[in-house]
Amino acid sequence: MTDKVYIRPIGLTLSPQAEHGDAIRLAGGMVYAHRFAVIVTRSGQVIERSLGSPETVEEILGDLPDGVAADAGEQWAGLTTAHAPLKLGERTVPLDQPQIMGILNVTPDSFSDGGEFLDDPAAGRAHASAMLEAGAALVDIGGESTRPGAPATWEGDELKRVLPAVEYCAGMGAAISVDTRRPAVMEAALDAGAHIINDVSALRHDPRSLELCAARQCPVVLMHAPGEGEDLHANGDYSNVVFDVFDWLKAARDRALEAGLERGNIILDPGIGFGKTLSENLSLINALPLFHALGQPLLLGASRKRMIGALSNEAPAEDRLGGSIALSIAGMNAGVQLHRVHDAAPVVQARNVWRGLRDAALTDFAELPAG
């Protein structure tokens, strides 16, 4: 029997003064947490659950079984870790507030905008420029569709699609992420001016990917997907989707560390929509604060995804802006640092209003007693 522990923030507040200072700044961002569930499982079943605040959590952790005490201490440190900014070429992306990653698909078969920018570099350049001018911190370039049932992409085709987009985005001084799982594409994209590798297979698709990213010491996004090989949506069988994805991402992080990647270069993504049902996706969104316990910045990619259509009378992908913004705001309320979106300008605007509300809350002491 194997015991495991999870520290899940379940009480969030707009400001520490609302809880008389008994709150932590979650992952060094603009969200504060004041109540936590410390959960112990054995062979996948919950055997113990305690509730605490920053003032009482040390006592709770001290009473945990020896087999999980060290892990609990690491998770508590992860929840309170302030992450250093990402240094991406000439750009610096701070992680103490939500940042927007705008999507540039150069594929013929993406589920939402396939082909729009593939055969028209001028349109792709204009789209990337517009996202940056709107306030996106990064551009994420993808040359392979990973929607369910999408055909495999030949490496040579992916290179032909991705490299021109990397080059024109680099020419405008953008911070660039490349959404790929092939080491040859990774290497060529980095050489052409990309900064981040965003791998939906978490560097599992090709064993050379780990070695390459460790050698280049570039930031990488490790995303959860239950499948292997070409079908990343397969094998989505969970005993508890939140705990299972947490454990999977923890193993992916540790695998990258063992390969030589620096901890500050690892970003984690729970993989919304990959091998998960609607209810499982909703559970993950609601549990996002837990994933800060892994001690890494988080990325949320829920824009225009199938779950929005399922909750919106089967709205097509191009009509899912409202749902996409709602999920981004849910991620911001959970302290997620990076938000991968199709509609950069509206989400940047939503983020700016969200930040204004957070800033106002930090300076509002009207409800506290005078003196």
Side-chain angles (χ1 to χ4, degrees):
M1 293 186 293
T2 303
D3 289 358
K4 295 181 180 179
V5 65
Y6 307 89
I7 305 179
R8 177 172 173 172
I10 57 172
L12 304 178
T13 182
L14 291 174
S15 65
Q17 60 263 26
E19 297 296 328
H20 301 284
D22 190 17
I24 65 166
R25 188 180 179 189
L26 190 61
M30 302 183 72
V31 173
Y32 292 84
H34 66 95
R35 192 167 69 256
F36 304 85
V38 181
I39 304 162
V40 179
T41 66
R42 178 171 296 159
S43 301
Q45 301 298 314
V46 175
I47 62 169
E48 182 180 330
R49 182 176 184 269
S50 302
L51 298 181
S53 73
E55 290 183 352
T56 62
V57 73
E58 184 174 343
E59 180 180 351
I60 293 172
L61 299 188
D63 290 336
L64 290 173
D66 291 341
V68 299
D71 189 18
E74 291 179 8
Q75 289 189 34
W76 182 251
L79 291 169
T80 57
T81 293
H83 300 288
L86 296 174
K87 301 289 186 180
L88 307 175
E90 298 178 357
R91 295 204 174 204
T92 298
V93 178
L95 297 177
D96 59 352
Q97 57 187 292
Q99 300 290 354
I100 308 307
M101 174 188 283
I103 297 170
L104 175 60
N105 281 324
V106 285
T107 64
D109 55 351
S110 170
F111 78 96
S112 67
D113 53 6
E116 184 176 352
F117 308 116
L118 174 60
D119 297 321
D120 190 348
R125 186 182 295 108
H127 181 61
S129 177
M131 292 192 294
L132 293 169
E133 289 176 5
L138 307 99
V139 176
D140 186 56
I141 300 169
E144 177 189 32
S145 175
T146 52
R147 61 179 171 79
T153 300
W154 178 52
E155 186 176 88
D157 286 340
E158 189 178 355
L159 283 165
K160 290 177 183 178
R161 298 169 184 174
V162 167
L163 291 184
V166 172
E167 289 167 356
Y168 62 64
C169 286
M172 64 181 74
I176 303 166
S177 166
V178 173
D179 183 355
T180 183
R181 48 184 173 160
R182 294 179 174 84
V185 179
M186 295 176 187
E187 185 170 29
L190 292 170
D191 290 342
H195 307 98
I196 296 177
I197 298 301
N198 179 13
D199 187 352
V200 293
S201 77
L203 303 179
R204 296 177 300 142
H205 184 73
D206 189 313
R208 295 173 296 172
S209 299
L210 266 174
E211 181 181 349
L212 170 66
C213 291
R216 300 295 289 260
Q217 283 302 326
C218 58
V220 298
V221 179
L222 306 178
M223 192 198 79
H224 173 271
E228 297 181 358
E230 294 302 328
D231 188 1
L232 295 173
H233 298 268
N235 305 319
D237 184 18
Y238 310 99
S239 58
N240 179 305
V241 68
V242 171
F243 297 157
D244 290 352
V245 172
F246 184 95
D247 293 342
W248 193 100
L249 288 174
K250 180 180 179 182
R253 177 203 67 189
D254 292 347
R255 185 168 60 249
L257 291 172
E258 290 169 5
L261 271 156
E262 294 180 2
R263 185 145 192 175
N265 283 332
I266 299 173
I267 301 162
L268 301 177
D269 176 352
I272 300 300
F274 279 76
K276 302 170 183 77
T277 65
L278 172 61
S279 64
E280 289 163 349
N281 286 318
L282 292 171
S283 293
L284 285 170
I285 295 288
N286 284 330
L288 283 172
L290 164 70
F291 292 91
H292 292 295
L294 291 169
Q296 308 301 138
L298 302 178
L299 183 148
L300 177 64
S303 175
R304 298 189 185 179
K305 287 199 171 173
R306 174 71 184 83
M307 65 178 293
I308 300 171
L311 294 168
S312 309
N313 297 318
E314 302 302 333
E318 64 272 17
D319 292 334
R320 296 174 185 172
L321 174 59
S324 297
I325 292 176
L327 292 177
S328 288
I329 293 296
M332 293 176 200
N333 287 336
V336 172
Q337 292 90 352
L338 298 172
H339 300 258
R340 183 179 180 273
V341 304
H342 296 85
D343 305 285
V347 180
V348 167
Q349 184 181 82
R351 187 276 312 274
N352 291 346
V353 173
W354 178 91
R355 178 172 177 174
L357 291 166
R358 292 279 162 170
D359 287 340
L362 286 174
T363 57
D364 183 3
F365 295 88
E367 295 179 358
L368 298 182

